[in-house]
Amino acid sequence: MTRKVTEVTGLKNDCRPATPWQRVTAALHTWRTRRHEHAPPADDTGSPAPEPVPGANTLWRMRTTVKDEPGSLAALCTALAEHRVDILSLQTHPLAEGTVDEFLLRAPGELPASGIATAVRTAGGTDTWIERADAHDLVDAPTRILGLAARTALDAAELPLALRQLLGRCTIRSQPARAGGGRASEGVPVEGALDDTVMRLRAPEGGVITVERPYLPFTPTEFARARALVELDARLGPRVPHGRDVLTLAEGSDITVRRADTRDLEAARAMHERCSDRTLRLRYHGPVGDADRYLNHLLSPRFGRTLAVQTASGRLVGLGHLLWDGDETEVALIVEDAWQRRGIGGELLGRLVAIAAEGGCRSVYAVTQASNTGMVAAMRGLGLPLDYQVEEGTLVITARLGETVSTGAGEVGSTSAP
């Protein structure tokens, strides 16, 4: 579910929302337009200059295009050395004309990004992009790519995150295959398509994965790496980790929390049929009589991750969704009426937020209503800084993630939640 189309991410005209949903959509579109942070232009460093600290060093990631001729790279390295800048790693991306060189640099703390960019430009570099790096960038490229491939192989839901970590700041959207047997991949070659700052890849299930990075064009090398990850995902087929946790609620009942996917579709439909109209309305932000038609999308690992809660008898009583919304992340919960107010929602939310933090997300948001006191309480129970936006009765709560997030395990039942 996106903030722009509130019912479910990627739904098209074959699932047109009712009038109340359209009002929510219009309100959230206005909110998102005001709040959305656009990518910086190509001449922006993407990071503020560090405060000068005597003797300190700063890590930078830099890209620049140089002529494909002898001596061009040497001139660039000499210019950096004159400013006491160390080159920690270098990757080359050959183009039809010229070469894109990608550097990891260690520079004196008092040297700003603009000073590095000026030195590079003087040495013949063009279209230079520079931004702050951190210790994670010290891992060499082959090791990092192999790690991303391993994570993708173990879990189909890792693909969007792996692509984002592979390509840097970018927006990734999955368009499902069209209803009625049509394919969203029409017009996209089997090998995919690269157009400057946009790449489109065929998804294994027939849809299209679109990756966009408006501030920096993709190179053929990056396109080949992304395509290899998608092909790996396609060859391995549907997969989800089998781990599960058995927890005891405050009143003594045992529940199991595990990952879910489209194989849980029938159980999820049955749970929806047991939910009251109020519960469905709070979850889907309107009077929805057939919310189960969205479940195939929500349960797909292509669009995020889903956690399921089931009882000792195996009945599904709760679902928590972590949905990749372009370059943002949404959390959504639904718990069967008879199992509400037992802390299940808070347990699901804490685990989803921990997954988001582990995946490098800076924030998560929940779209709900001010009357949904359970969801509001669960978000507050995270113990994280929260931002609130209200538009025509729709409440959007954004949690800013820190480095450490507690899952809340061991306190299940202590938080009032949906």
Side-chain angles (χ1 to χ4, degrees):
M1 184 174 72
T2 66
R3 302 175 194 174
K4 188 179 294 184
V5 182
T6 59
E7 68 275 31
V8 175
T9 303
L11 287 182
K12 303 300 179 183
N13 292 336
D14 57 325
C15 298
R16 190 176 300 277
T19 300
W21 295 48
Q22 293 172 333
R23 290 199 296 268
V24 174
T25 299
L28 289 179
H29 176 69
T30 301
W31 169 79
R32 185 173 185 175
T33 299
R34 288 205 308 265
R35 181 183 181 277
H36 185 69
E37 297 178 356
H38 296 282
D43 58 351
D44 194 334
T45 66
S47 305
E51 292 293 332
V53 178
N57 292 316
T58 305
L59 293 177
W60 298 96
R61 288 194 300 137
M62 184 186 74
R63 280 193 176 193
T64 191
T65 302
V66 298
K67 295 181 180 180
D68 188 10
E69 59 184 34
S72 59
L73 180 59
L76 191 62
C77 294
T78 300
L80 292 173
E82 290 175 352
H83 289 78
R84 296 184 293 118
V85 176
D86 292 332
I87 299 175
L88 302 181
S89 68
L90 168 64
Q91 294 185 67
T92 60
H93 300 251
L95 304 176
E97 295 183 3
T99 301
V100 173
D101 289 334
E102 182 175 357
F103 296 87
L104 178 63
L105 305 174
R106 182 169 55 208
E110 62 273 15
L111 180 63
S114 58
I116 299 175
T118 299
V120 169
R121 184 171 58 252
T122 303
T126 60
D127 299 325
T128 300
W129 171 265
I130 182 170
E131 63 180 1
R132 291 290 293 272
D134 57 33
H136 295 91
D137 294 299
L138 293 173
V139 178
D140 67 280
T143 300
R144 182 164 54 90
I145 293 171
L146 285 172
L148 295 177
R151 290 176 56 178
T152 302
L154 293 173
D155 187 350
E158 285 284 344
L159 180 62
L161 287 176
L163 288 172
R164 186 174 298 170
Q165 292 183 27
L166 176 68
L167 301 170
R169 286 183 290 169
C170 58
T171 298
I172 299 174
R173 292 187 173 88
S174 294
Q175 181 182 352
R178 294 171 182 165
R183 295 174 64 85
S185 57
E186 293 177 359
V188 179
V190 174
E191 67 274 11
L194 174 61
D195 182 15
D196 196 37
T197 60
V198 178
M199 66 171 71
R200 302 177 71 209
L201 302 164
R202 281 198 180 188
E205 68 280 0
V208 172
I209 299 174
T210 301
V211 187
E212 185 172 2
R213 188 174 63 187
Y215 65 90
L216 192 63
F218 293 111
T219 66
T221 301
E222 289 177 308
F223 178 63
R225 291 171 178 173
R227 187 175 60 192
L229 270 181
V230 174
E231 289 177 353
L232 173 65
D233 179 81
R235 286 180 177 273
L236 295 175
R239 60 210 179 278
V240 63
H242 298 295
R244 57 185 63 206
D245 292 331
V246 178
L247 307 173
T248 301
L249 298 176
E251 78 277 9
S253 301
D254 287 341
I255 60 170
T256 297
V257 182
R258 61 173 176 82
R259 285 282 302 279
D261 61 12
T262 51
R263 290 171 288 189
D264 295 287
L265 183 58
E266 291 304 318
R269 284 174 174 166
M271 185 194 73
H272 274 67
E273 292 175 357
R274 297 191 299 269
C275 289
S276 66
D277 290 342
R278 179 181 182 277
T279 293
L280 294 176
R281 184 171 62 253
L282 289 176
R283 166 61 184 89
Y284 295 101
H285 320 297
V288 183
D290 54 349
D292 62 312
R293 65 179 174 168
Y294 310 128
L295 287 173
N296 192 64
H297 176 97
L298 290 171
L299 291 170
S300 171
R302 184 68 60 235
F303 304 102
R305 297 189 187 180
T306 298
L307 295 179
V309 173
Q310 64 184 41
T311 64
S313 63
R315 171 179 284 191
L316 196 68
V317 297
L319 289 172
H321 303 288
L322 186 70
L323 302 169
W324 315 133
D325 178 14
D327 55 355
E328 300 177 315
T329 307
E330 182 189 2
V331 289
L333 305 174
I334 183 169
V335 177
E336 186 178 330
D337 294 64
W339 290 84
Q340 293 177 12
R341 306 294 171 182
R342 303 191 192 189
I344 291 177
E347 178 70 18
L348 285 174
L349 184 61
R351 289 169 178 263
L352 292 172
V353 169
I355 292 172
E358 182 183 1
C361 300
R362 297 180 180 178
S363 65
V364 298
Y365 71 91
V367 181
T368 185
Q369 300 175 30
S371 60
N372 191 352
T373 56
M375 187 64 180
V376 174
M379 291 293 287
R380 288 177 176 171
L382 293 172
L384 297 171
L386 301 178
D387 297 325
Y388 299 86
Q389 295 284 339
V390 179
E391 294 286 351
E392 299 186 8
T394 299
L395 175 63
V396 181
I397 309 175
T398 302
R400 289 177 280 126
L401 307 187
E403 294 183 0
T404 303
V405 180
S406 172
T407 64
E411 298 180 352
V412 61
S414 64
T415 302
S416 178

